[in-house]
Amino acid sequence: MVVLRVIGGVLLLAGLAALGWDLWQWSQMGSQMAAAGGSPHLSAAGELWFRLHPGSLNLTQAVVQRYLVPELWDPVLLTVLLWPAALVLAVTGLALLALGSLRRS
């Protein structure tokens, strides 16, 4: 149970860091985006994963499609990868923290 809480805490912090990064990017590009008429966006989970380690993203896709259930990649995992990274990391972290807090009776 301690392991779940540690992993959950790390994921929650990673979600907050991803949100902080997006907010920092908005502050740096705010005037440029306003002049260009663009709107800010949160980084997608797949975009963040690809920036950090593209090889593992491609390997995960290959393993899921070849050895697990191909329908699991598209539409399920692909949909999750399009969600904001901060949301995916923080919600997963909170879920693991909650699971780690449960006591056996």
Side-chain angles (χ1 to χ4, degrees), residues 29-67:
M29 299 192 139
S31 60
Q32 293 174 356
M33 281 193 290
S39 62
H41 76 285
L42 292 173
S43 299
E47 178 185 345
L48 177 64
W49 191 354
F50 185 79
R51 275 190 282 160
L52 292 176
H53 199 271
S56 66
L57 176 61
N58 293 332
L59 178 64
T60 302
Q61 179 183 5
V63 167
V64 168
Q65 288 181 329
R66 289 183 193 156
Y67 302 113

Side-chain angles (χ1 to χ4, degrees), residues 24-34:
W24 183 75
Q25 293 243 325
W26 287 350
S27 71
Q28 297 299 314
M29 299 192 139
S31 60
Q32 293 174 356
M33 281 193 290

Side-chain angles (χ1 to χ4, degrees), residues 64-81:
V64 168
Q65 288 181 329
R66 289 183 193 156
Y67 302 113
L68 297 176
V69 181
E71 292 79 21
L72 182 63
W73 183 259
D74 187 15
V76 178
L77 293 177
L78 191 59
T79 302
V80 172
L81 290 174

